[in-house]
Amino acid sequence: MGDPNAKYQSPLTSRYASPEMAANFSNNKRFGTWRRLWYNLAVAEKQLGLGGITDLALDQMKSNVDNIDYEVANREEKKRRHDVMAHVHAFGLVAPEAAGIIHLGATSCFVTDNADLIIFRDAMDLLIGKLVCVISDLAQFAVKHKDLPTLGFTHFQPAQLTTVGKRATLWIQELLWDLRNMKRARDDLGFRGVKGTTGTQASFLALFAGDHDKVEQLDQLVTELSGFSTCYPVCGQTYSRKIDVDFLSPLASFGATAHRIATDIRLLANLKEIEEPFEKDQIGSSAMAYKRNPMRCERICSLSRHLMVLIGDVLQTASVQWLERTLDDSANRRISIPEACLTADIVLTTMQNVVEGLVVYPKVIERRIRSELPFMATENFIMAMVTKGGDRQECHEQIRVLSHQAAAVVKQEGGDNDLIDRVRACEYFAPIKDDLDELLNPATFIGRAPQQVDNFVANHVAPALAPYSAAIAAKKPAELSV
């Protein structure tokens, strides 16, 4: 087979992807699914009275579904330039009794398109299973830190306080929307069914001697045998490539969510308030030994960008399908759709690894609050002075002067914010000196953040995760290979 390191390998599978998602897009899964579809078609045709299909033929087909001789298939494809007929030939060699009835009445898209729909649905099941685990872990993080005040940021400039847990609910809310979108896309997937070369079912009508009812029964029976309740009512040679757009859109949208969350964590890591896990022997930089780079979140951002742009491939493919079909969709779809699923899988695994090991540094957060809170508390100072008989406008002017003096110390001298010391030393503010500590208590600046976390988790997160309780209970720690 040669040295695998002597040729290009996709890092999606060689470095990052989970074994289960890589297996879902493997040749074994694809061509094994083709054979199951041929078997289902033969079973249904025989059940509806079509002659020439023996029990022995069905037994041979069933027992050889996964017995694929790739050398035979590859040799035949090189000769015929047709992958489906190459695998019809290879299947017939191991199921000789069925060789004459494999693919009977069908067109290539019977196996290629229907197999894709099965594989896509299985891929989405894997992604949803991982997404709910990420949401569950983040919800626990939010509840744990719901009362921990932290400086809010707008425009990445200091703003009013929030809590670490409340900030996490902003991430969770977007992930819940992603869960909704993925589930809807998964449940909306239908089956192409048994439609023939241009979607008219003419070949099957001929097989059943013009019996329209039997053709309709065949379509429904093969659909059900293949694990679907419904098939698309009409199609050309392929199912509409609009379905691929609907399938990939939630993944692209999730890519935006993942990028946003990972970017937030990277920003907070720079502030040393929150960090992704950093292993004992991990190296952050080959030159700067002290560094703790957020490589996991950087990987999430990098792959999420790739995930977001893949939607362009399926949009363009859907837009240029001529009449009943053209073949210029095939090569593109072999790359874009598996890569989208593999990339989403990698991002989710990495996100789970990050969330499971998020480290919070309360003392750093507290120090940053102390440096900014005096300016934010000035409105409280004014209100407190007014309640003790002060004049609002005069108080505002006193605060303005002291604030500008303190800001000059911070910006021009590089000193600490000494506004509170200036307020304490100012005779004008003597009436509230004893109240300053309480007026500066961070817990009084977080509004309803803790209550919002509790309400959000109880009323929105828990109901959304309830159908997946078994998957969440069976969750294992996410490990990265590199």
Side-chain angles (χ1 to χ4, degrees):
M1 294 180 64
D3 181 3
N5 294 303
K7 62 180 181 180
Y8 175 78
Q9 301 177 59
S10 169
L12 292 178
T13 50
S14 65
R15 285 178 64 85
Y16 303 129
S18 67
E20 56 270 21
M21 187 60 82
N24 189 59
F25 286 96
S26 67
N27 284 341
N28 287 345
K29 175 68 176 280
R30 177 168 303 281
F31 299 126
T33 301
W34 285 12
R35 291 190 175 189
R36 287 178 179 83
L37 288 165
W38 281 320
Y39 172 74
N40 291 342
L41 177 62
V43 167
E45 288 174 335
K46 184 176 189 299
Q47 183 174 323
L48 291 170
L50 197 62
I53 304 174
T54 65
D55 290 338
L56 179 58
L58 295 179
D59 289 343
Q60 288 182 353
M61 292 176 75
K62 185 175 183 180
S63 61
N64 285 283
V65 161
D66 296 313
N67 178 25
I68 303 172
D69 189 331
Y70 286 104
E71 288 188 9
V72 169
N74 292 340
R75 187 165 58 247
E76 191 69 14
E77 183 177 358
K78 186 174 182 179
K79 177 181 178 182
R80 304 297 182 186
R81 301 296 179 187
H82 199 289
D83 55 353
V84 173
M85 289 308 298
H87 280 270
V88 168
H89 173 77
F91 198 13
L93 291 179
V94 294
E97 185 69 19
I101 56 93
I102 294 172
H103 201 66
L104 183 58
T107 187
S108 296
C109 287
F110 168 70
V111 287
T112 58
D113 274 29
N114 282 322
D116 280 346
L117 291 164
I118 291 170
I119 291 168
F120 297 168
R121 189 176 64 175
D122 291 348
M124 194 64 88
D125 283 339
L126 289 172
L127 295 176
I128 289 173
K130 294 189 174 189
L131 176 56
V132 295
C133 290
V134 171
I135 294 172
S136 176
D137 287 343
L138 261 182
Q140 294 177 45
F141 177 87
V143 171
K144 179 180 179 181
H145 299 288
K146 66 179 181 180
D147 296 307
L148 180 58
T150 190
L151 196 64
F153 288 94
T154 58
H155 316 277
F156 202 43
Q157 301 299 311
Q160 290 296 320
L161 269 59
T162 182
T163 70
V164 172
K166 170 59 193 306
R167 178 178 283 145
T169 63
L170 303 181
W171 303 337
I172 297 169
Q173 180 167 247
E174 295 188 7
L175 291 172
L176 286 178
W177 291 332
D178 292 320
L179 175 60
R180 174 203 62 193
N181 295 343
M182 289 186 192
K183 183 180 184 303
R184 183 163 55 201
R186 187 260 183 228
D187 292 345
D188 280 353
L189 283 175
F191 198 60
R192 177 192 176 273
V194 178
K195 298 296 196 296
T197 54
T198 58
T200 66
Q201 300 177 308
S203 58
F204 296 104
L205 191 63
L207 281 177
F208 287 100
D211 191 328
H212 291 268
D213 289 340
K214 283 197 172 181
V215 174
E216 291 185 8
Q217 291 174 45
L218 178 71
D219 203 2
Q220 185 60 32
L221 183 54
V222 174
T223 296
E224 293 172 358
L225 288 171
S226 303
F228 287 78
S229 58
T230 59
C231 62
Y232 298 117
V234 295
C235 70
Q237 188 172 93
T238 68
Y239 70 77
S240 169
R241 297 315 185 211
K242 184 80 170 176
I243 301 301
D244 295 345
V245 176
D246 290 348
F247 178 77
L248 246 66
S249 291
L251 304 188
S253 181
F254 163 70
T257 301
H259 198 295
R260 179 267 169 99
I261 294 171
T263 300
D264 280 357
I265 295 173
R266 291 168 66 189
L267 292 171
L268 294 169
N270 175 263
L271 300 177
K272 298 180 174 60
E273 293 188 2
I274 290 180
E275 284 184 343
E276 65 178 41
F278 195 91
E279 297 170 15
K280 176 178 176 292
D281 297 322
Q282 183 175 331
I283 295 174
S285 168
S286 62
M288 295 168 280
Y290 60 87
K291 294 198 75 177
R292 293 168 65 97
N293 297 335
M295 53 80 64
R296 291 166 173 81
C297 286
E298 290 173 321
R299 179 181 298 172
I300 290 171
C301 290
S302 180
L303 291 172
S304 292
R305 291 200 301 273
H306 179 58
L307 178 56
M308 285 186 280
V309 301
L310 287 172
I311 188 65
D313 277 351
V314 293
L315 283 168
Q316 293 187 60
T317 295
S319 72
V320 298
Q321 289 304 288
W322 300 350
L323 306 173
E324 277 64 51
R325 81 93 42 109
T326 78
L327 195 60
D328 64 352
D329 64 334
S330 179
N332 186 292
R333 295 176 71 253
R334 288 173 190 256
I335 299 169
S336 58
I337 301 177
E339 283 202 357
C341 295
L342 288 161
T343 304
D345 170 75
I346 298 161
V347 170
L348 279 166
T349 300
T350 312
M351 284 186 72
Q352 182 182 333
N353 180 268
V354 168
V355 173
E356 287 174 342
L358 272 180
V359 181
V360 178
Y361 295 105
K363 292 299 183 182
V364 176
I365 294 172
E366 181 182 345
R367 184 176 64 201
R368 180 159 287 105
I369 290 175
R370 285 200 308 268
S371 72
E372 298 291 344
L373 191 59
F375 293 133
M376 299 176 190
T378 55
E379 184 68 15
N380 287 9
F381 296 168
I382 295 173
M383 295 301 101
M385 283 293 295
V386 170
T387 61
K388 296 195 175 185
D391 179 275
R392 193 268 176 197
Q393 312 311 329
E394 184 179 357
C395 184
H396 183 278
E397 178 60 19
Q398 292 282 345
I399 285 290
R400 186 190 69 81
V401 173
L402 296 180
S403 296
H404 286 191
Q405 292 171 352
V409 170
V410 173
K411 296 178 180 179
Q412 298 173 19
E413 301 176 16
D416 293 332
N417 187 337
D418 64 358
L419 176 59
I420 301 306
D421 292 335
R422 292 176 184 275
V423 171
R424 291 185 191 277
C426 180
E427 187 61 30
Y428 178 82
F429 290 102
I432 64 168
K433 284 183 181 179
D434 294 338
D435 302 327
L436 287 178
D437 288 342
E438 180 59 28
L439 291 171
L440 288 166
N441 181 1
T444 65
F445 287 81
I446 60 175
R448 298 190 64 254
Q451 291 76 20
Q452 287 181 336
V453 172
D454 286 336
N455 291 340
F456 177 69
V457 171
N459 298 324
H460 297 275
V461 179
L465 296 184
Y468 309 99
S469 57
I472 294 171
K475 177 180 74 71
K476 296 179 180 179
E479 295 185 3
L480 306 183
S481 57
V482 290

